[in-house]
Each structure stands twice: as C-alpha cells, then as structure tokens.
Amino acid sequence: MSLPHLHLLVTGGAGFIGANFARAFLTNDPATRVVILDALTYAGNLANLEGIDEDRCVFVRGDIRDTPLVCDLLRQHSIRALVHFAAESHVDRSILGPDLFVETNIVGTHSLLKAARLVWLEEQPGAHRFHHVSTDEVYGSLELRAPAFSESSPVRPNSPYAASKAASDHLVRAYHETFGLDAVITNCSNNYGPYQLPEKLVPLLIVNCLLGERLPLYGDGLHVRDWLHVQDHCQAIALAMRVGVAGETYNIGGENERTSLEILRLIVSEIDHAFERDPSLSEKYPHCPAATGKSCAELVAFVRDRPGADRRYALDISKARRELGYAPRAAAGPAFESAFRGTVRWYIEHDAWWKSVMDGQYREWVALNYKNR
Ligand code: NAD
Ligand code: DAU
C-alpha cells in the first residue's frame, strides 16, 4: 500500500516493543512523524523514550478506550496509519486478574477500530492502515515435536491474556471483512531486548542475578519459547506496514527455540564472565554472587508453574519470508547468541533505567506473584 509520508499513531509506544518501534521507525524513516498514545500504566514509562527525536514525536497520555480522543488524534494529526501495541501483556497478571485484559485488549482494540472506521472510512475515505500487533500465544501450546504454528493453525488460547489477544485479532479481522478496514495482523513470538520491564523472564533473571535474588524457574524449566530480538520484530512490522496485504495475518518469529533453562544458562554465563572481565562491576553490584567469585547459578530456584502453562510455542515464518521479505537477523546460532549477550550487557549498563521502572507498585505485584510459588 502507498502511504508516502507517514503521520503514524503508535498505541502503547511507552511500553517495551512500542518504544523500540517508535525509536527505530523515526531513525529509519526521516519523513515520518509519530504520535504516541499511551495510558502510562505500570508497564508504560517515559524513560523508555529518552533520547527520541522530540521534534518528530508527540506524546499523548490517554486511554485507547477513549474513542473520541482517538478520533480527535486521527483528525488533528492527519493520521492515516496506526500500529497498535497497547495491551495488558503479562500472562501471570492475567491469571491473577483477568478483567483488565478483557477491558484493555478487547474493549480497547474495539475502541480503536471504531475510531478508525469513523475517520478513515466514513469521514475521510482514502488510503489507510490499521496494524494490529498480536502474539503466537493465540494458537495455544505445541507438543515437543509438532510442526510450528502456521497462520492457518487453529486458535486455541489457554491463558486469559492469550484469549483476550485472540478476541482482539478476531475483531480486527471482522472490521476488515465487514467494513473494508485496511487491516493487517502480525502474531509474534517472545521478544527480548532493551527496555523490557523486569517482570518477563529475560530481564527478570538478569536483574535478579545482579541484585543477588533468586532466579525463579517455573515447573521444570523446560518450557520452550521462540526468542525474537525486538529489532527483528520492529523490522517485520515496518515491512508489513509497507507491503503486507490487507486482511492478512503474518507470523513473525526468530526461528530460535530455547527452553527457559537454556535462557537462564546464557544469562548466568554472560554475567559471570562480565564480572571476570570488569572488576568494577563487583562494586556496582555487591550482592551478585559473581562479585565474590561465585556463579549466579547458585540463585536458581525451581518454583510452582503457572496453571494452564503452555509447554511450547514455535512459529512457521515462511509466509512472512516469502511475502514481506522478512528475515530475522538474530536467528538461531551465533547471531542469536551475540544479540542475546548484547541484551544482557545492556541491562548490566542501564541499572538507572531498570531501577527507575521497578517502583513500589511494581515491587508489590512481584511480591504477590511469587508469594506462594
Ligand atoms: P508492555 O506491557 O511492555 O507495554 C504495553 C503498553 O501499553 C504500556 O506502555 C502501557 O502503558 C500501554 N497501555 C496499556 N493499557 C493501555 C490503554 N488502555 N491505553 C493506552 N495505553 C495502554 O507490552 P509489550 O511487551 O511492549 O507488548 C506490546 C504488544 O505486543 C502487546 O500487544 C503484546 O500483546 C504484543 N506481544 C508482546 C510480546 C512480547 O514478547 N513482549 C510478544 C508477542 C506479542
Ligand atoms: O509468546 C509471546 C508472548 O511472550 C507475549 O504474547 C507475551 O506478551 C509475553 O509476555 C510473552 O509471554 P510468556 O508467558 O511466554 O513470557 P514470560 O517471559 O512471562 O515467560 C517465558 C517463559 O518463562 C514461560 O515458560 C514462563 C517462564 N517463566 C516466566 C517468569 C516470569 C519462568 O520460568 N519464571 C518466571 O519468573
């Protein structure tokens, strides 16, 4: 589709992936301006947007469920394309409190769809694009040797989070089929990279190593995820925005399946070695076992699993390769290991960032989540 100079609305742009996306998009496309709409929930942080080109980026604190606000933004900023990241995104939180997931992920997505329909189809018809960011979790869990999920795999979500994302995918598709909204959906696998809140596995393990706190592995630690560098994900979204076909869904993965235990081992090895290379880290992180010559592996604790835990996710990305020209740069092998180690080093260097986002509200929730495990 042709959207020559983009004024792009990014919902959830103060969250992990949204902030990485806004940053990359502004860098790669000098003709672009971005409006970020974010409610700044516990997961959204302006610190994630530090250093972004403020002349080309407007931040609006607001709720995607506020349909009149969304309509006003589309009109005021002549926005013809949006990328929708805003969501409640953590499975554990959806188990402890599903209501907000229905509100944000289903009602919130529907609010955006209503605004897009009104402004782009009724008031000012013309080229537009609604890009919906979704997850591989909508497909449910895979047996260990089963083939990876394709776009035509049945939708069988297991957690309230996954069910709410699946419902939002259905609504987006329905608005395309029924009203002719130009909409594309991408379903991606587990992202890792800078600015991820330390409630998700990778940053949680890194930060806990550095603070000398236990490393909780759910169940036997052998759940498999497909790990995708956030920059690869952002590249795929940009491609789908440009060449994705309206009404289509594309799976975006990293072709890199690893168990949680393997992920933990990589983190431990990178941190242990970082302390060997740089003795000043021992002063910065005195509670880390590596500060006294021990290995962070001593912090591992196998804890009670999630109810309904998904054993394995894996994505067949051949459609995105073929139709979008997508190829993950940090795919399995040395490229993944190097990108992953780079991520671990980012957290070692950016303690000011993660200390600023782990506020009282965050700590209270972590205490609750791990209390009976
Ligand atoms: P995140 O939790 O880090 O960020 C979510 C952002 O949405 C936050 O900035 C938050 O303030 C904002 N938000 C929440 N409710 C809002 C509302 N009602 N109105 C406006 N803003 C609101 O999430 P993330 O990890 O960056 O994920 C982004 C998207 O990608 C989500 O839709 C998620 O389902 C999807 N996804 C994430 C992953 C992953 O590995 N993180 C993988 C697959 C799909
Ligand atoms: O697959 C895509 C999904 O990836 C996204 O849709 C979600 O938004 C995102 O949160 C992520 O979901 P997961 O549940 O896979 O990610 P999480 O980091 O929470 O957990 C990854 C694996 O690690 C999972 O098997 C559970 C396990 N785990 C998680 C935490 C938080 C642990 O063993 N210990 C932990 O403390």
Side-chain angles (χ1 to χ4, degrees), residues 37 40 121 130 148 186 289 307 319 367 370:
L37 173 62
L40 295 183
L121 297 178
F130 188 112
T186 44
K319 180 176 173 186
Y370 292 96

Side-chain angles (χ1 to χ4, degrees), residues 314-330:
L315 285 177
D316 175 348
I317 60 167
S318 49
K319 180 176 173 186
R321 276 188 185 279
R322 200 174 52 245
E323 296 183 16
L324 305 179
Y326 166 70
R329 288 189 198 119

Side-chain angles (χ1 to χ4, degrees), residues 93-149:
R93 287 181 188 256
S94 83
I95 295 168
L96 290 174
D99 296 63
L100 192 54
F101 286 71
V102 172
E103 271 299 318
T104 303
N105 299 356
I106 306 177
V107 178
T109 301
H110 189 230
S111 160
L112 289 177
L113 288 165
K114 284 192 293 183
R117 181 185 171 203
L118 179 67
V119 178
W120 291 344
L121 297 178
E122 292 173 13
E123 291 177 4
Q124 304 160 13
H128 62 273
R129 165 115 326 157
F130 188 112
H131 186 107
H132 178 58
V133 179
S134 191
T135 171
D136 58 2
E137 298 206 15
V138 300
Y139 300 119
S141 187
L142 269 180
E143 296 297 324
L144 269 190
R145 283 179 221 303
F149 294 123

Side-chain angles (χ1 to χ4, degrees), residues 89 135-137 161 190 200-201 204 216 218 225 306 370:
S89 69
T135 171
D136 58 2
E137 298 206 15
Y161 161 71
N190 285 59
K200 309 283 166 60
L201 183 72
L204 178 109
Y218 294 172
R225 297 291 183 265
R306 285 173 179 157
Y370 292 96

Side-chain angles (χ1 to χ4, degrees), residues 89-92 135-137 161 188-191 199-202 204-205 216-218 223-225 227 260 306 310 313 369-370:
S89 69
H90 192 30
V91 173
D92 285 344
T135 171
D136 58 2
E137 298 206 15
Y161 161 71
C188 76
S189 56
N190 285 59
N191 285 221
E199 63 176 2
K200 309 283 166 60
L201 183 72
V202 169
L204 178 109
L205 293 181
L217 270 186
Y218 294 172
H223 301 303
V224 177
R225 297 291 183 265
W227 294 94
S260 306
R306 285 173 179 157
D310 287 335
Y313 308 139
N369 188 37
Y370 292 96

Side-chain angles (χ1 to χ4, degrees), residues 32-33 91 124 142 165 181 198 211 216 224 269 272 316 341:
T32 307
R33 299 183 99 74
V91 173
Q124 304 160 13
L142 269 180
K165 291 297 289 187
L181 190 74
L211 296 177
V224 177
S269 125
D272 287 352
D316 175 348
R341 288 183 193 283

Side-chain angles (χ1 to χ4, degrees), residues 327-346:
R329 288 189 198 119
F336 163 71
E337 303 227 341
S338 154
F340 194 84
R341 288 183 193 283
T343 296
V344 178
R345 287 196 296 278
W346 188 89

